Amino acid sequence: MSDERRGCALVTGASRGIGAATAKALAADGWPVGVGYNSGAEAAAAVVAEIEAAGGQALAVGGDISATESVDRIFSELEERFGTVLVLVNNAGLRRDNLSPQIKDEDWDAVLDTNLRAAFRMTRRAIPQMLRARHGRIVNIASVVGLRANPGQANYAASKAGLVAMTKTIAAEVARRGVTVNAVAPGLIETDMTADLDGELLKVVPARRPGTPDEVAACVRFLASDAASYVTGATLTVDGGMSA
Amino acid sequence: MATATPEAVESRIVEALASFGPDVEQVTRTATFEELDIDSLDLVELAQIVEDEWGVELKGDDMKSLKTVGDAIDLVVARAA
């Protein structure tokens, strides 16, 4: 981040996996970071401790971001401590996989609420301040599944494809104010979220190995940086060639 | 929160609009947003400023009906009353 800029980054779902790696990467770039979590308070505290031990600044901000009140409170806590949120990473997400005939309404709603609706609410809350600051970076963590079929994930795929479309649209709305909106679409990444997947999926990954959270975080770090100032509305796949 | 006298509203709105590009002398009550090259995103920002200053919430439909600087000032003064 530039020295004259006072503000912070917020990463949702940052208590583990891709979110935790991203929070650490942004902190390493000098951003004070809000470490968002819902159920993982202890894990979020550990991420904060790790960032502080490395000389960075961080604050754990908890709450169910599918509720508007939590979104407001999280932003207020961060604004009070670190100033305007200039980097928002919408990473929080969940899976409720099943073949379509067996996806219940509640599985559909839970996935869409967390993966897509919450990302929109966070974005809507962040944008006015970014417009005023004439600077902002929003990075949505989509998925290769939003671009390419993966049977058993109709709800997840719809939420992630929705994120890609939302990314493009909002990017076009705010581009003239120095605010960029991009998506990163990870493929098979080794995290708690994918621990239950068997080796079948690896067969369609040209790299023949799963990716790491750090490999995704590196892309987010770039998109959040001043170096990516002319990149907006893009979806960067990080998938070992899976969607190629 | 500041008191929304017509003078205070006019002065803050003119200041805000000028910050979006046009010269402050051009920002008169009869000037249209089109003439001033004030776009929809500028008006969204203006709505945010108005809400922060006077607690007046302007919705998307309110903004669409505004054509001139005077329209915006009058709407905010009326809402704040």
Side-chain angles (χ1 to χ4, degrees):
Chain A
M1 69 183 288
S2 319
D3 288 342
E4 74 276 13
R5 198 173 286 145
R6 181 177 149 66
C8 64
L10 166 57
V11 183
T12 65
S15 60
R16 55 194 171 145
I18 291 170
T22 300
K24 290 177 214 166
L26 293 175
D29 265 354
W31 290 103
V33 178
V35 176
Y37 69 92
N38 186 14
S39 55
E42 271 181 39
V47 173
V48 169
E50 202 176 323
I51 288 171
E52 287 175 344
Q57 290 178 282
L59 178 68
V61 281
D64 175 8
I65 53 169
S66 63
T68 311
E69 312 79 70
S70 306
V71 169
D72 267 335
R73 185 178 41 72
I74 286 169
F75 273 86
S76 300
E77 282 176 26
L78 277 176
E79 285 161 355
E80 197 168 303
R81 173 85 176 268
F82 295 135
T84 307
V85 174
L86 292 177
V87 176
L88 169 64
V89 182
N90 286 310
N91 167 72
L94 54 85
R95 278 171 46 207
R96 295 273 173 85
D97 297 354
N98 241 320
L99 292 176
S100 295
Q102 286 161 329
I103 291 180
K104 298 187 178 71
D105 281 351
E106 49 268 38
D107 298 331
W108 178 270
D109 290 344
V111 170
L112 270 288
D113 274 359
T114 297
N115 297 10
L116 185 56
R117 189 203 297 257
F120 174 69
R121 285 180 169 157
M122 300 294 286
T123 301
R124 183 175 60 189
R125 177 63 174 74
I127 280 179
Q129 285 73 25
M130 291 180 177
L131 292 178
R132 279 213 209 173
R134 298 291 187 271
H135 180 87
R137 296 281 186 269
I138 297 174
V139 183
N140 295 313
I141 306 301
S143 166
V144 67
V145 169
L147 310 171
R148 155 190 203 290
N150 189 35
Q153 295 200 299
N155 47 1
Y156 189 80
S159 72
K160 296 300 189 177
L163 274 179
V164 169
M166 186 178 91
T167 297
K168 292 181 187 183
T169 304
I170 299 177
E173 289 177 357
V174 299
R176 57 195 182 278
R177 291 288 198 285
V179 178
T180 70
V181 188
N182 292 289
V184 167
L188 182 62
I189 306 299
E190 220 157 37
T191 65
D192 292 351
M193 193 169 169
T194 57
D196 61 319
L197 299 176
D198 53 30
E200 278 301 300
L201 210 49
L202 263 189
K203 291 181 185 158
V204 295
V205 179
R208 288 288 185 267
R209 67 167 179 87
T212 67
D214 285 340
E215 287 174 312
V216 180
C219 298
V220 180
R221 183 179 184 169
F222 164 66
L223 291 170
S225 73
D226 287 345
S229 51
Y230 203 57
V231 182
T232 195
T235 298
L236 178 55
T237 52
V238 194
D239 64 358
M242 190 173 172
S243 59
Chain B
M1 206 162 280
T3 311
T5 62
E7 297 74 26
V9 171
E10 178 158 349
S11 132
R12 184 67 184 93
I13 286 182
V14 169
E15 179 198 339
L17 292 173
S19 77
F20 300 149
D23 290 333
V24 70
E25 305 84 61
Q26 291 178 279
V27 187
T28 61
R29 283 191 61 94
T30 54
T32 65
F33 294 125
E34 199 178 349
E35 288 162 3
L36 297 174
D37 202 20
I38 297 289
D39 63 19
S40 53
L41 196 60
D42 294 319
L43 292 179
V44 167
E45 265 195 84
L46 181 68
Q48 189 68 42
I49 291 169
V50 163
E51 188 174 343
D52 291 349
E53 297 260 338
W54 302 294
V56 173
E57 194 183 341
L58 299 180
K59 298 195 173 11
D61 288 345
D62 296 326
M63 305 309 286
K64 279 179 200 143
S65 64
L66 302 178
K67 296 280 178 284
T68 66
V69 175
D71 291 345
I73 294 166
D74 294 344
L75 179 67
V76 173
V77 171
R79 289 282 176 85

